[in-house]
Amino acid sequence: MTDRPFDPYVRDCPTRQLLDRIGDRWTVLVVGTLTGGPLRFSEIARRVDGVSQKMLTQTLRALERDGLVTRTHHPEIPPRVEYELTEAGRTLQEPLRALEDWATVHMAGVLSAREGYDAAV
Amino acid sequence: MTDRPFDPYVRDCPTRQLLDRIGDRWTVLVVGTLTGGPLRFSEIARRVDGVSQKMLTQTLRALERDGLVTRTHHPEIPPRVEYELTEAGRTLQEPLRALEDWATVHMAGVLSAREGYDAAV
DNA sequence: CTGCATCCTCCCCGATACTG
DNA sequence: CAGTATCGGGGAGGATGCAG
């Protein structure tokens, strides 16, 4: 608690913690690809353009650790591993989609504003 | 366009571009502090815990460049600079608040899942 | 008070090679 | 196919000093 009129963004508030998770560039995209249902590793890699194997593994591990994704390993030859959003993971989809919608609508304006700003240098 | 059944997250889609902006840890927090109205530089710095002067300047410049924040310089002694959300900037508040709400509700669960995962090592 | 420049450190992430 | 290990470059970002 604080005596300030506006509740500040202190270091360990929930918002900050979430930002640490979605700020790594890949988390949001991976969650997005899993919207339609479970996918295997290679399929996710294919859909998220530019993600390296290392980063994808790292991201999926983090999501699994946070209880947002389940990892199912089928001990076959060749190996098959499927990832699926948990209940908690699915609740994250809605606010993420809201952001995505905002981006779709406004990013063009943002980009043109950027050009205008740069031109005015 | 693509012939794949699921529209992939290609490198330059709006979502990716937005992620580049909010992925820097400070943008979201700064926009959040400006929700209540215009603020001066030092006041924002005070409310966003842990932001360095350098990063705050950098973040505000980026937001100004993107047309999400206006910068008003009052040539007084001592100088006073106020920052305020633009119309576009205000539209960003809603999806951001949705994320904030999600964090408030779910981060405790995420944290405990994290502990459980770490304990199971 | 606000902002810019410089230096310097750390760690993110990609490339590569190798296991089960 | 899925994952781990290692190395190295580059960029993010903190500390400090100075200007307007």
Side-chain angles (χ1 to χ4, degrees), chain A residues 95-117:
Chain A
L96 252 34
R97 173 167 296 278
L99 257 192
E100 206 171 319
D101 290 344
W102 187 94
T104 304
V105 174
H106 290 89
M107 280 313 284
V110 166
L111 259 26
S112 74
R114 203 173 287 184
E115 285 175 23
Y117 184 94

Side-chain angles (χ1 to χ4, degrees), chain B residues 54-70:
Chain B
K54 176 183 177 179
M55 282 297 96
L56 184 52
T57 299
Q58 216 170 88
T59 301
L60 287 167
R61 280 289 178 286
L63 285 170
E64 186 192 2
R65 189 169 95 107
D66 289 353
L68 301 175
V69 157
T70 58

Side-chain angles (χ1 to χ4, degrees), chain A residues 6 8-9 11 15-17 20 25 29 47 49-50 65-66 91-92 100 102 106 113-114 117-118, chain B residues 6 8-9 11 15-16 20 25 29 47 49-50 65-66 91-92 100 102 106-107 113-114 117-118:
Chain A
F6 181 85
Y9 286 104
R11 286 180 191 281
T15 303
R16 293 286 279 268
Q17 293 170 354
D20 286 339
R25 297 179 51 108
L29 300 175
R47 298 192 188 197
D49 187 32
R65 189 168 96 104
D66 288 355
T91 65
L92 185 53
E100 206 171 319
W102 187 94
H106 290 89
R114 203 173 287 184
Y117 184 94
D118 292 343
Chain B
F6 181 86
Y9 287 104
R11 287 180 190 280
T15 303
R16 293 287 280 268
D20 286 339
R25 296 178 52 104
L29 301 174
R47 298 193 187 196
D49 188 33
R65 189 169 95 107
D66 289 353
T91 65
L92 185 53
E100 206 172 318
W102 187 95
H106 291 90
M107 279 314 283
R114 203 173 288 183
Y117 184 94
D118 291 344

Side-chain angles (χ1 to χ4, degrees), chain B residues 2 23 34 39 52-53 56-57 63 69 83 90 92-94 97 100 108 116 121:
Chain B
T2 171
L34 290 175
L39 288 177
S52 68
Q53 188 192 52
L56 184 52
T57 299
L63 285 170
V69 157
Y83 294 90
R90 280 191 290 275
L92 185 53
Q93 290 181 122
E94 187 180 339
R97 172 166 298 275
E100 206 172 318
V121 173

Side-chain angles (χ1 to χ4, degrees), chain B residues 7-84:
Chain B
D7 204 27
Y9 287 104
V10 290
R11 287 180 190 280
D12 56 355
C13 71
T15 303
R16 293 287 280 268
Q17 293 170 355
L18 177 63
L19 253 27
D20 286 339
R21 170 108 336 294
I22 72 173
D24 62 18
R25 296 178 52 104
W26 299 118
T27 300
V28 174
L29 301 174
V30 169
V31 170
T33 62
L34 290 175
T35 298
L39 288 177
R40 50 192 304 183
F41 186 89
S42 53
E43 183 61 23
I44 302 174
R46 196 170 305 120
R47 298 193 187 196
V48 179
D49 188 33
V51 66
S52 68
Q53 188 192 52
K54 176 183 177 179
M55 282 297 96
L56 184 52
T57 299
Q58 216 170 88
T59 301
L60 287 167
R61 280 289 178 286
L63 285 170
E64 186 192 2
R65 189 169 95 107
D66 289 353
L68 301 175
V69 157
T70 58
R71 177 176 183 274
T72 309
H73 177 230
H74 304 270
E76 311 164 352
I77 306 292
R80 182 165 58 94
V81 182
E82 285 199 328
Y83 294 90
E84 184 173 14

